[in-house]
Amino acid sequence: MARRPLIAGNWKMHKTVAEALALVRDLKRLVAQVRDCDIAVAPPYTALFPVAKAIEDSNLRLAAQELFYENKGAFTGAVCGPMLEEVGCHYVIVAHSERRQLFGETLVTSGKRVKAAFAAGLTPIFCIGETLAERQANDTMKIVAAQLDAGIEGLPAATLRRLVVAYEPVWAIGTGVVATPQQAQEVHQMIRERLRARDPEAAATIPLLYGGSVKADNAKELLAQTDIDGALVGGASLDAESFAGIVKAASVRTRGQ
Ligand code: PGA
């Protein structure tokens, strides 16, 4: 079963509507010829709808950065899955480490969000990863496994197979300190094995992205690892040339096993 690479750009709290439109205009042109790689951009909420219109005729897909797990009600400031689906989102990032650290995301709420995303017809890009203290305490595998288990708990196999997982060591996010390809592969392999224990087909089909200081010049080596199928890119996704460089590093071949 072939796994297509996915390169997703997480813009975080960057870009006005005008800036977002300028970025996707350039990006569309730079990646127009790419056929063998899925490409997603995750603008802030305010730019989702205009960006959806701007990329309608392109090979870019829209992602949101977060969703709430209830579908309606008195939840000031929250946005739900059906609203994101309506404006054209294909993906939604779930449980990014910044949500875990700054906005109270827990193991339990991360699992609710994954289910809510699927229920709305969205593909969750589910983020997991250890902090520096956890790595130094040799707890990486234990922490990442627990986060994975919480996110996929109770999902039927057919749904699980549509998940995207992003392994993002917290110490590598926005720091310029990228995990070595070996460090990343080791954790990706554990994630793949854990998925295989749940459902062999899910293990074969789920794209496992790496995130944390991915740039055009380190992407190729990371993506060459057996279990790394793509990247979730923060800083380098804010510039069309550098993001396109990462897409091109991924598009040299379609992954399979
Ligand atoms: P970074 O962010 O590429 O800026 O390290 C990655 C992420 O947070 O998804």
Side-chain angles (χ1 to χ4, degrees):
M1 175 87 59
R3 288 190 300 274
R4 265 168 81 81
L6 167 61
I7 304 296
N10 173 12
W11 297 1
K12 309 191 181 182
M13 200 173 71
H14 295 285
K15 306 290 179 189
T16 62
V17 171
E19 290 166 347
L21 290 173
L23 175 52
V24 289
R25 184 199 55 222
D26 292 345
L27 191 57
K28 264 166 56 169
R29 180 173 44 79
L30 291 168
V31 301
Q33 306 307 322
V34 173
R35 294 276 169 274
D36 53 359
C37 174
D38 292 329
I39 310 165
V41 291
Y45 283 141
T46 45
L48 284 176
F49 190 61
V51 168
K53 295 286 140 205
I55 63 176
E56 240 166 24
D57 57 345
S58 78
N59 54 348
L60 303 181
R61 282 175 167 165
L62 192 64
Q65 298 177 16
E66 149 69 3
L67 83 167
F68 191 48
Y69 49 75
E70 298 288 351
N71 275 351
K72 64 167 86 137
F75 304 107
T76 302
V79 173
C80 64
M83 292 172 179
L84 298 175
E85 195 274 336
E86 188 199 18
V87 297
C89 290
H90 180 93
Y91 300 101
V92 58
I93 299 170
V94 170
H96 188 278
S97 64
E98 285 148 21
R99 303 298 311 179
R100 294 182 193 265
Q101 292 191 315
L102 305 171
F103 298 96
E105 183 80 280
T106 65
L107 294 179
V108 171
T109 57
S110 71
K112 289 185 180 186
R113 279 180 167 81
V114 169
K115 289 194 183 71
F118 278 127
L122 300 164
T123 298
I125 300 176
F126 177 55
C127 302
I128 52 185
E130 82 288 359
T131 63
L132 183 59
E134 289 160 349
R135 175 160 285 264
Q136 286 170 341
N138 263 328
D139 283 340
T140 297
M141 297 301 187
K142 190 177 83 186
I143 294 290
V144 173
Q147 290 173 340
L148 178 69
D149 290 354
I152 66 176
E153 204 229 300
L155 290 182
T159 307
L160 177 64
R161 290 171 198 155
R162 292 168 32 227
L163 186 68
V164 175
V165 175
Y167 167 60
E168 300 202 300
V170 178
W171 47 271
I173 295 178
T175 59
V177 183
V178 63
T180 66
Q182 293 69 29
Q183 281 174 323
Q185 166 59 24
E186 211 177 63
V187 182
H188 279 236
Q189 190 179 342
M190 180 278 287
I191 295 168
R192 182 95 58 206
E193 276 161 15
R194 212 163 174 90
L195 290 169
R196 189 169 292 124
R198 272 284 302 273
D199 178 56
E201 199 178 321
T205 55
I206 291 179
L208 301 185
L209 315 186
Y210 167 79
S213 298
V214 177
K215 307 274 179 275
D217 60 8
N218 60 28
K220 212 177 174 129
E221 219 193 326
L222 287 160
L223 293 163
Q225 304 302 308
T226 318
D227 290 301
I228 302 184
D229 305 309
L232 182 54
V233 184
S237 71
L238 299 174
D239 174 80
E241 298 271 353
S242 67
F243 189 62
I246 298 169
V247 169
K248 282 169 191 167
S251 76
V252 286
R253 69 192 171 100
T254 297
R255 306 182 60 83
Q257 58 168 33

